[in-house]
Structures are given as C-alpha cells and as structure tokens.
Amino acid sequence: MESAERMIVRRARLRIGLLVGLAIGGLLLLGGGISYLALIRSQEAQIQRELEWGTTYGTIAGPPACSWIFQYDGSTVYTGTNPPPPGFPLGDALAAVATTRTTEITTVARNGTVYHVRTEARGDTVVQAVFDARFQLSDRRHLLLAFSLAATVGLLAAVLTGVLVGRRAVAPLAEALTRQRRFVADASHELQTPIAQVHTRAQLLARRARTGGSAADLRDLERLVGTTRRLGEIVDDLLLSAQLAAAPASQPPKPPVDLTSLIGSAVAAETERAAERQVTVTLKTPDGPLPVPGVESALRRVVGELLANALTHTPAGGRISVTLRSGDEHAELVVADTGEGFDQADARRIFDRFHRGAGSGDRRYGLGLALLREVVTSHNGTIEAEGYPGRGAIFTVRLPTTRLPVSRPAQLRGIRRLRVRQLRADA
C-alpha cells in the first residue's frame, strides 16, 4: 500500500501538472478562439464590401461561380449570363425594396452552403447581389481542424511539461517530508532508552518510598512514574507514526494474525484496570480463530488503544462491550462504551493529529486515535466513530480477512464470552 507521504507528493505532482497543463491548454484555446473570431469578422467584412461594390457597379470581383448580380425594373428580372443557384433571385426582397427603397441585407442557408444577399435600390431599378460563401466556410473548417490538432498536441505537451515541472517543484517537499520522518524516527529511537531508564529508576524509588519514605515523597514519585510512562507512550507513538509513513509502496504479504486470540489477550490485560475503575467489560468473539493479514504488534496497539480510550472516558458503574464478528471477506471489531461520548460533528476530527476533544485531560496528546487510523489504513481497513453526548461512543474497525490457518493459544480455545465483573470496595 502506498504510504501517506508518497500519496501527498504524488497528488501534489499531479495537481501541479494538471494546473500547468490546463493553463497552457487554456492559452492555446484562447489564442485559437481569438484567431477564429478574427477570421470570421474579416471574411464577413470582405463579403459585405464585395456585395456593396456589386450593387453599386454591377460586378463582383469574386469567383464568377460564387457571385451573381440581378436587376429588377419593376416588371422584369435580369439575371445576366451566369446561371443563378436554385431559389435565386429573392423575389420578395426585390419587390419589398422596390416599394420601400430601403436596403436589405440577409443571409440564406441553402443548397449546402450559405449565401449573403444585398438588395439595394439604384435609380429606377433594384439591384440584388448574391455571394456564395462556400470557400470561406471551407477555410473556417480547415482552420478549426488545424486548431483542434494543434490544441490536442499542445495540451499533451503542456501536461507532460506540467508533470516534469511538478516533479521538480515537489522534489523539495518530498525531501523535507523524508527528513522530517527520519528525524522523528531517529529522535524517538534515541529517546526510548533514556526514558526507559528514568522510568525504571522512578519505579525503584517509588518502591523504596512505600517502605521508608513519607507520603508526600511517595505521591511525587508515583506522579513521576506516571509522567515517564506517558512520555514513553508518546515516543512509541512517534516512532510508530514514522514507521508507517516510511512504509514502501509495495509491501510483501503480511502474515496472518488471529484477531480472536489477540483481542482476548488485550481484554484480559485490562481486567485489573477495569476492576479498579469499577467498569464492566464484556467480550464476544467467534468460536474459532479469525485470521487477518497484518502486523501483530500494530494490531495489538489498535485494540489496546481503543480499550484504553473507552476506559478513560467511562465513569464508574459504566459498561464497555467488545465485539468481534466475521463478515463477507472482512472482520469487524466494535468497541462500545457508556461513557461521556462526543458530538457526532467531531467524528472525523477526532482522528486528526493533535486534536483534543472535551474532557481529554492530561492523558491525550493528540496522537493515539490518529495513529489508529494510520495503522488500520496501512492494513487496508477502515475505522469509524459514532458519538452520543452523555451516552457513550462506538468505534468500528473493519479489516480484510484471510483463510490461512492460524495457531491459537490453548488457554483461549473455546472462550466465546469473557466478562470482567466490576469489583467494588467494601464500605
């Protein structure tokens, strides 16, 4: 699957190429349109000059087969030696001008061509000049054909030029994204070890404080432990994000991962925390394994983050249901809670990086749900969220399945429904 960075760079290249191509193509079309209109105006003006000359002097300089002069003295129409085309002269126009003495200029489409007609009174007679514009129409068609070919070739050349220009223009963006990803990956990797050491030492100090230290020292050390743990989670998120962004366009097939086993383990790992928060967690899974192609650690992160998110936003006495079911060529994981919920208008924004919803507290740093979407999309899946303010939230993950056999831990065989009951302290 193509990585997000490469998709951004590719879209930028295509967009720049199309814009440059459209700009050059638009200029070609504009130039061709202006030239075509100029030709039409020039031809029309020339034809009118020929007709005016014909009605004045009784002759037209154009080709004899394309021009005719008719004279009407009130009773007889003189057509001359050049045989007129069918339908000419225009008797109604001759009679009307003979009566009104007003010049008439008209255009007649007939016989597969266009005739320009000028009927004008000259002394006691009426002169009608007719011009066949078939050669002018042919010139226009030839010009349109030439412009169409030139525009097509020019547009293709413009698109290719735009793609080349876009490639060169976007190259700094691609390099900047690569450097940014490399920096995030390197920094996250280098920070993992010292953060782990600080977290370990803080845990040791907290254990010592429980036996011989004051309550204030113990409280501060526990806060330090929590802070280092959250800092480690942030570094892990940054490193995972950089790894997802660096994923190659074509990846080898991923090994199958049993979602039934993975989700069962993830829910079991949250048993103690759910009991402390007095939250009921219900798990429903298929009887057998449900394999999906993917990276086990990444998918485990998805399930764990959804459970952690639900536990964080579900008050004491609430419920969380985790349901895994098999569909047509896909597996569907649904995590629903009865917690705070969120406005459905924010359903898309909660997957944006560094978006912090209401009541996020100190735990959320805006990377968790964004990373979930990256992991799911990198597995060719989808993730959706539904929010009901004050009534909870539902997260649905769909992943493509595989029919390959998957081994399953014996301790999870036959588990269809796991229920973590809330533990209440004695009054």
Side-chain angles (χ1 to χ4, degrees):
M1 181 179 178
E2 197 169 21
S3 66
E5 288 183 3
R6 294 184 181 181
M7 290 181 63
I8 293 173
V9 173
R10 185 180 178 185
R11 288 175 183 173
R13 288 175 178 170
L14 291 177
R15 193 171 300 171
I16 293 176
L18 287 176
L19 290 177
V20 173
L22 290 176
I24 298 178
L27 291 176
L28 290 174
L29 291 176
L30 181 61
I34 293 174
S35 301
Y36 185 72
L37 292 176
L39 175 65
I40 293 177
R41 290 178 62 88
S42 175
Q43 289 180 343
E44 296 286 345
Q46 180 64 27
I47 291 173
Q48 295 304 321
R49 285 195 296 268
E50 294 287 347
L51 292 175
E52 187 176 0
W53 180 273
T55 56
T56 302
Y57 299 101
T59 181
I60 295 179
C66 293
S67 59
W68 299 268
I69 301 294
F70 308 106
Q71 293 184 355
Y72 176 62
D73 60 4
S75 58
T76 304
V77 178
Y78 298 92
T79 59
T81 59
N82 186 15
F88 289 96
L90 299 180
D92 294 340
L94 290 171
V97 173
T99 302
T100 61
R101 315 300 291 179
T102 302
T103 300
E104 286 190 9
I105 299 174
T106 186
T107 301
V108 179
R110 185 181 295 172
N111 305 324
T113 184
V114 175
Y115 298 95
H116 294 263
V117 183
R118 181 184 178 95
T119 308
E120 185 177 351
R122 288 293 178 182
D124 296 334
T125 63
V126 177
V127 181
Q128 187 175 87
V130 179
F131 189 92
D132 184 355
R134 67 178 65 241
F135 293 111
Q136 284 74 14
L137 295 177
S138 178
D139 290 341
R140 296 176 189 177
R141 286 193 294 270
H142 291 160
L143 181 63
L144 282 178
L145 179 60
F147 272 132
S148 299
L149 292 176
T152 302
V153 174
L155 186 59
L156 291 176
V159 171
L160 291 177
T161 302
V163 171
L164 294 176
V165 172
R167 189 179 296 272
R168 293 179 63 88
V170 177
L173 172 61
E175 185 178 358
L177 290 174
T178 302
R179 290 182 177 179
Q180 180 189 23
R181 173 178 48 78
R182 188 182 300 118
F183 169 77
V184 172
D186 293 344
S188 302
H189 182 73
E190 293 298 326
L191 286 173
Q192 279 185 322
T193 299
I195 290 176
Q197 293 175 348
V198 172
H199 183 65
T200 302
R201 293 183 179 181
Q203 288 179 318
L204 292 175
L205 291 175
R207 290 195 189 100
R208 295 174 184 174
R210 290 191 185 97
T211 58
S214 64
D217 293 338
L218 177 60
R219 185 168 53 252
D220 291 339
L221 287 172
E222 289 178 346
R223 289 176 181 175
L224 177 59
V225 171
T227 301
T228 55
R229 182 179 62 251
R230 289 194 296 268
L231 185 57
E233 292 175 354
I234 295 172
V235 172
D236 290 340
D237 288 345
L238 291 173
L239 184 58
L240 178 59
S241 176
Q243 291 172 348
L244 291 174
S250 58
Q251 298 178 356
K254 297 183 177 69
V257 178
D258 183 11
L259 277 186
T260 305
S261 172
L262 186 147
I263 293 173
S265 300
V267 172
E270 294 289 349
T271 301
E272 183 178 353
R273 185 180 174 196
E276 291 177 355
R277 298 181 65 88
Q278 299 182 354
V279 173
T280 301
V281 180
T282 302
L283 174 64
K284 297 180 182 178
T285 61
D287 289 332
L290 182 55
V292 298
V295 180
E296 183 175 356
S297 60
L299 293 178
R300 189 180 302 276
R301 186 65 175 272
V302 170
V303 180
E305 183 67 24
L306 289 177
L307 286 172
N309 181 73
L311 283 171
T312 299
H313 296 283
T314 302
R319 297 184 305 279
I320 298 174
S321 64
V322 181
T323 305
L324 176 65
R325 48 179 172 256
S326 176
D328 295 335
E329 299 183 353
H330 75 274
E332 185 177 84
L333 169 64
V334 180
V335 179
D337 63 67
T338 58
E340 305 166 0
F342 57 87
D343 192 343
Q344 187 60 26
D346 293 333
R348 291 178 178 268
R349 296 176 55 199
I350 62 174
F351 293 106
D352 294 340
R353 288 173 176 260
F354 303 108
H355 173 71
R356 298 182 62 175
S360 59
D362 294 333
R363 179 181 174 276
R364 291 296 178 194
Y365 290 85
L367 282 172
L369 293 179
L371 280 173
L372 288 193
R373 182 172 61 181
E374 290 186 17
V375 172
V376 172
T377 54
S378 69
H379 285 73
N380 298 321
T382 60
I383 182 170
E384 300 174 355
E386 299 179 29
Y388 306 93
R391 293 185 296 152
I394 301 175
F395 288 84
T396 304
V397 177
R398 294 182 180 89
L399 297 169
T401 57
T402 179
R403 299 182 182 276
L404 296 176
V406 180
S407 60
R408 192 180 183 196
Q411 65 270 21
L412 292 175
R413 288 192 181 100
I415 297 180
R416 184 173 183 179
R417 184 168 183 170
L418 173 65
R419 191 180 292 268
V420 182
R421 295 294 185 179
Q422 61 183 14
L423 301 178
R424 301 182 181 277
D426 294 335

